[in-house]
Amino acid sequence: MTHKSHKSVESSGGVIFRKNDDQFEIVICGRVNPTQWMLPKGTPEDGEERDQTALREVEEETGLKVEIITPLKRVHYNFQLGGTIIEKDVYFFLMKQTGGSFDRHDDEFDTVRWLTERDAHKFMTYETDLDVIKTAKTAVLQGGEFDFH
């Protein structure tokens, strides 16, 4: 019987939103090969708080300057990397754009774009991202404070 090691990791990211007429839109990041669409997120640098990580990673990956509106949701999942089981927590924040542009995004993704929430199910690679997008829309519509749960 093979013994697998366990490791816990954390990252932070954001849902950048805007209302365009009656549409709720969010920013997504995409890769061509293999095709993947996801929300921007990444791992902390030494000494960074979750909100600092989210702001830095979102700016790097999208090219947009953003500000945090409220903590949104914690997503937990497991995956295997080699012989190690990785337990990951991702902390998402609701954000709005304050400047920047997509042409400033780093090379981690091939493209960054606005997407209507109602079309998210056609693009998003991960079901957990769809859940986070739904939570973000609810937070915006209710105008309430959310917290990680």
Side-chain angles (χ1 to χ4, degrees), residues 10-28:
E10 185 176 292
S11 66
S12 296
V15 178
I16 308 167
F17 81 95
R18 70 181 180 192
K19 290 189 211 175
N20 192 1
D21 295 324
D22 290 340
Q23 303 284 344
F24 177 79
E25 297 179 331
I26 49 101
V27 172
I28 60 171

Side-chain angles (χ1 to χ4, degrees), residues 24 26 39 117 120 124 129-137:
F24 177 79
I26 49 101
L39 296 169
E117 176 268 338
M124 302 310 288
D129 281 352
L130 288 171
D131 292 339
V132 173
I133 291 166
K134 287 177 191 168
T135 302
K137 183 177 182 183

Side-chain angles (χ1 to χ4, degrees), residues 36 46 79 97 138-140 145 147 149:
Q36 291 182 313
D46 286 344
F79 61 95
Q97 180 182 2
T138 300
V140 170
E145 291 285 316
D147 206 345
H149 58 277

Side-chain angles (χ1 to χ4, degrees), residues 82-96:
T84 303
I85 303 292
I86 308 290
E87 292 198 35
K88 187 167 188 173
D89 286 310
V90 184
Y91 294 87
F92 283 100
F93 294 83
L94 183 65
M95 300 177 165
K96 71 177 182 180

Side-chain angles (χ1 to χ4, degrees), residues 39 73 75-77 92 125-133:
L39 296 169
K73 185 172 186 142
V75 174
H76 179 83
Y77 57 93
F92 283 100
T125 302
Y126 302 106
E127 194 71 32
T128 53
D129 281 352
L130 288 171
D131 292 339
V132 173
I133 291 166

Side-chain angles (χ1 to χ4, degrees), residues 22-60:
D22 290 340
Q23 303 284 344
F24 177 79
E25 297 179 331
I26 49 101
V27 172
I28 60 171
C29 302
R31 292 188 184 114
V32 173
N33 192 12
T35 301
Q36 291 182 313
W37 289 97
M38 61 195 73
L39 296 169
K41 67 179 182 306
T43 56
E45 293 179 350
D46 286 344
E48 258 184 348
E49 297 294 326
R50 290 176 182 147
D51 59 341
Q52 295 169 322
T53 300
L55 288 168
R56 179 184 51 77
E57 285 288 340
V58 167
E59 182 177 341
E60 288 173 2

